Amino acid sequence: ARVNKFARDNVTFNAGYTTLTVPVTGSLAAGCTYWVNFRGVTDASGNPIDPNPTSYEFTTTGTATSFPVANNNTWYYESGDGEATMSFRNYSQSTGAFNEVFQDSKGDTQEVVHLKKTSTQIQHLGRDEYHDGEYDFSMIWDTAIPYVKLPVENYLGQSWTFSTTASISDSMTMDLSGHMEVEASQVDLVCDALYGTFKNCTIHHLIGSYTMYLHGNPVDEGEVHQIMWLAPGVGPVQIVNIDGGGSDTLRVVDWSF
């Protein structure tokens, strides 16, 4: 997908026409296989490529991770009012803590999710909610949620439970409980915007229920269901959040590492 999107021009041959150099913008993900399709190509005598297209593949060095964490990693996705972004910020290698920052097409922050990466899991620590770019409130879990277990391919078909609470304000609290589950097989996610396919994604489900309390009295309750596709080397390429009022989808249309 990245090669197709960023390497259309300035392809060069060496003097003997034995080596083709294809420049790309930015880096390629570690430990991942890329496919290049050559279409409509002819040799110097005008003979067409056979077969057309001809595919070439290569694998980059290193180890692919399904949740790469580095400052300024950015995913672009379509929202209701244009192209929005999700980016990683404030990553600390000493503690493993980092933030997922969601911004709308105007650059206004909508949500900040607090996460922590350890050697065995990605923990969900809580989140901050914003309204029109202005801070509104926070929910920081008393007990971190084991959000993703690493390496993800070792947990296909498995599930685990969680239960936690949060103080939203001096008078409002929230109880959240449920389970995480990983689908039993890996899937390929076709990305039309990138003209490519994310191979061997794992699909994670967060299924839970919550109760909100005001001065100790229940005032609201509901259910949550988040479905997240993790692609090796790239991370979360699609996220669907479902609640009683409908669903909200993040589907990557570009990314910048």
Side-chain angles (χ1 to χ4, degrees), residues 127-143:
R127 67 186 183 92
D128 302 332
E129 191 77 23
Y130 289 73
H131 181 69
D132 293 332
E134 298 293 329
Y135 171 79
D136 196 2
F137 64 88
S138 296
M139 290 187 298
I140 305 302
W141 310 123
D142 295 333
T143 303

Side-chain angles (χ1 to χ4, degrees), residues 125-168:
L125 308 179
R127 67 186 183 92
D128 302 332
E129 191 77 23
Y130 289 73
H131 181 69
D132 293 332
E134 298 293 329
Y135 171 79
D136 196 2
F137 64 88
S138 296
M139 290 187 298
I140 305 302
W141 310 123
D142 295 333
T143 303
I145 297 173
Y147 191 43
V148 177
K149 292 194 174 183
L150 304 172
V152 296
E153 58 271 15
N154 290 354
Y155 295 92
L156 294 175
Q158 298 189 30
S159 65
W160 55 92
T161 60
F162 62 86
S163 180
T164 189
T165 60
S167 295
I168 300 175

Side-chain angles (χ1 to χ4, degrees), residues 40-52:
V41 178
T42 61
D43 63 15
S45 299
N47 300 305
I49 195 171
D50 184 25
N52 185 17

Side-chain angles (χ1 to χ4, degrees), residues 15 71-72 116 141 177 222:
N71 280 318
N72 300 317
K116 180 179 180 179
W141 310 123
S177 62

Side-chain angles (χ1 to χ4, degrees), residues 22 32 55 64 73 80 84-85 110 118 128 172 197 213 217 242:
V22 182
C32 290
S55 294
N73 282 359
T85 63
Q110 300 298 306
T118 72
D128 302 332
M172 182 169 284
T197 302
Y213 299 86
N217 299 310
I242 305 170

Side-chain angles (χ1 to χ4, degrees), residues 9 35 44 53 120 208 245 256:
D9 301 315
W35 289 263
T120 59
S256 177

Side-chain angles (χ1 to χ4, degrees), residues 90-102:
N90 303 318
Y91 173 54
S92 169
Q93 290 189 346
S94 60
T95 66
F98 65 100
N99 294 329
E100 281 181 341
V101 180
F102 293 83

